[in-house]
Amino acid sequence: MQYEFTIIVPLFNEEENLLRVEQALSDYINKATKTSSVLLVNDGSIDNSLTLIEEICSRQEHFRYISFDKNRGLSAAIKAGFDHAESPLIGYIDSDLQTDPEDFNLLLAEIENYDLVTGVRANRKDRFVKNISSKIANNIRRSFTKDGMEDTGCPLKVIKADYARNIPMFQGLHRFLPAMILLQEGTVKQVPVRHYPRLAGSPKYHLWNRLGGPLIDCFAYLWMKKKYINYKIEKKG
């Protein structure tokens, strides 16, 4: 089958959430406005995640997976998803399902006129410390990148595959996806989406990697922006 849209789901030690992921995304596929598939990216989980992933993909026609040899980090998982997706549109959602797959249809409704459409989490249901640290991190990133994004960390995005595959990903750069699309002279749009509390599993991020890590990554982004090569071919013969 030729898919129009691939949903990447990076995951690390999410055995408590995987059956919910299967149900939510299989339900979404039946409602999706584009012919859709799911690509589970196992980031070297050391729990029972891989066994569950294999079982899910054996019974779900539109699901497949790739699995790392060891934990490589979220940026690597997203990059692998970009590289292995076989559709003109690529989506991304976290395995904790704090965002709703059905809201992909809101983003897909806008993607024809943009190169990346990202969600903005409305009425966030996270704990106070996470909300405050995320807000501070977003302000820091926005001051460096000038991308105008209110919630660049929202784990619900749709990207045109040609742009996604041109992003020179390195560790931490998943926080800068809108900025990297703008660096390619692409266009971005924000759309409000729903947000829910985490029901199972444990967050993989803490105060340091929401604040300290992203601050360091901002300097890496500025270096990347200065050195980035961008060109468009007008003619060839």
Side-chain angles (χ1 to χ4, degrees), residues 23-36:
Q23 185 64 58
L25 290 176
S26 60
D27 288 348
Y28 170 70
I29 285 173
N30 294 324
K31 304 172 184 177
T33 55
K34 303 285 185 183
T35 307
S36 302

Side-chain angles (χ1 to χ4, degrees), residues 21-169:
V21 168
E22 176 187 13
Q23 185 64 58
L25 290 176
S26 60
D27 288 348
Y28 170 70
I29 285 173
N30 294 324
K31 304 172 184 177
T33 55
K34 303 285 185 183
T35 307
S36 302
S37 68
V38 175
L39 177 59
L40 303 172
V41 183
N42 178 38
D43 185 16
S45 296
I46 55 176
D47 62 359
N48 197 43
S49 291
L50 180 55
T51 298
L52 287 171
I53 288 168
E54 291 171 337
E55 292 173 358
I56 289 168
C57 292
S58 70
R59 62 179 174 252
Q60 294 289 348
E61 177 186 1
H62 305 296
F63 283 58
R64 59 192 181 95
Y65 76 93
I66 53 177
S67 185
F68 288 172
D69 56 341
K70 62 181 180 179
N71 182 240
R72 301 286 183 173
L74 182 56
S75 289
I78 293 173
K79 169 62 173 169
F82 288 168
D83 289 345
H84 289 83
E86 299 175 354
S87 58
L89 297 174
I90 301 173
Y92 156 50
I93 190 170
D94 274 355
S95 56
D96 58 21
L97 292 181
Q98 288 192 255
T99 48
D100 194 324
E102 290 189 21
D103 285 346
F104 273 127
N105 284 345
L106 300 176
L107 309 189
L108 289 169
E110 303 287 346
I111 194 63
E112 182 178 348
N113 299 314
Y114 297 90
D115 302 305
L116 177 146
V117 182
T118 181
V120 178
R121 290 167 285 190
N123 301 315
R124 286 186 64 174
K125 306 300 182 183
D126 290 320
R127 293 179 179 179
F128 176 77
V129 172
K130 183 175 180 180
N131 280 335
I132 291 299
S133 60
S134 180
K135 183 174 290 188
I136 294 170
N138 270 311
N139 286 338
I140 292 171
R141 279 191 291 270
R142 192 160 53 244
S143 68
F144 274 79
T145 63
K146 312 297 182 186
D147 61 8
M149 296 291 103
E150 298 174 34
D151 185 17
T152 188
C154 178
L156 198 76
K157 292 179 170 63
V158 174
I159 312 174
K160 289 179 177 173
D162 289 344
Y163 282 83
R165 295 190 183 104
N166 281 335
I167 296 173
M169 296 287 283

Side-chain angles (χ1 to χ4, degrees), residues 153-216:
C154 178
L156 198 76
K157 292 179 170 63
V158 174
I159 312 174
K160 289 179 177 173
D162 289 344
Y163 282 83
R165 295 190 183 104
N166 281 335
I167 296 173
M169 296 287 283
F170 56 82
Q171 197 61 38
L173 204 62
H174 64 270
R175 303 180 180 100
F176 297 86
L177 293 179
M180 294 306 298
I181 298 301
L182 292 173
L183 205 54
Q184 297 180 56
E185 299 179 356
T187 54
V188 301
K189 182 179 176 67
Q190 304 176 97
V191 174
V193 297
R194 291 169 286 182
H195 191 249
Y196 306 102
R198 175 185 266 269
L199 297 181
S202 58
K204 307 304 185 291
Y205 294 92
H206 46 72
L207 188 60
W208 165 249
N209 54 30
R210 284 196 200 100
L211 293 180
L215 178 59
I216 295 170

